[in-house]
Amino acid sequence: MSDKNDVIDVEPVQPRAAGGSDAGDALSTWGWVSYVLHLIVAVAAVVPTAQASIALLIIALVMDLVNKGDAAGTWQESHFQWRIHTVLWAGVLYVVTFPLFLLFYWPGWLAWTVISIWFLYRIIKGMVRMNAGRAVES
């Protein structure tokens, strides 16, 4: 027989949105699309003959800026911030080192190569963490 003092702790089940997808799934989808666009640009920046449009990077950045509010308070928030900071820092570094190309070709090429490898590293690190369902640390 059960005692009246027995309590069963049951968490309510959150209803899923139409189509079988919840907000977390939508954030994850946006995150993966953004990471793939970043990856295309990052690989093209490292491979000498590859070409990728900066438009892909701008599209990914806008996606991240628009959706980052929906990720507030979730583990995915760190990924939105990670991608936004990566793009902004890379942009600043490219602009700051651009005069090296105008004055001296090889130092400019070397600087841009290092920035591109750093950019690629950050995108891959974020993708690995996202795949594991973990936040990314700065």
Side-chain angles (χ1 to χ4, degrees):
M1 299 191 109
S2 71
D3 189 351
K4 290 183 179 182
N5 293 330
D6 287 344
V7 176
I8 299 174
D9 187 20
V10 178
E11 292 184 32
V13 175
Q14 297 295 326
R16 295 181 72 97
S21 171
D22 62 6
D25 290 342
L27 286 173
S28 183
T29 300
W30 281 116
W32 279 112
V33 169
S34 180
Y35 271 127
V36 168
L37 292 175
H38 282 86
L39 184 64
I40 291 167
V41 174
V43 168
V46 174
V47 176
T49 58
Q51 297 292 320
S53 173
I54 193 155
L56 294 177
L57 199 57
I58 292 170
I59 290 168
L61 179 62
V62 169
M63 283 175 32
D64 287 338
L65 289 169
V66 167
N67 291 302
K68 77 175 183 172
D70 294 339
T74 70
W75 64 271
Q76 293 181 19
E77 179 179 20
S78 66
H79 287 276
F80 283 89
Q81 290 297 332
W82 180 260
R83 290 187 302 266
I84 291 166
H85 289 162
T86 299
V87 170
L88 294 179
W89 274 109
V92 167
L93 293 171
Y94 283 128
V95 168
V96 167
T97 57
F98 181 72
L100 289 174
F101 276 115
L102 300 177
L103 301 173
F104 313 102
Y105 177 75
W106 287 107
W109 179 85
L110 180 61
W112 278 35
T113 299
V114 170
I115 296 166
S116 297
I117 291 170
W118 171 82
F119 184 77
L120 180 61
Y121 162 77
R122 296 239 332 162
I123 297 307
I124 291 173
K125 179 179 178 180
M127 291 178 85
V128 168
R129 296 280 168 93
M130 183 130 171
N131 190 49
R134 295 182 5 203
V136 66
E137 303 90 27
S138 296

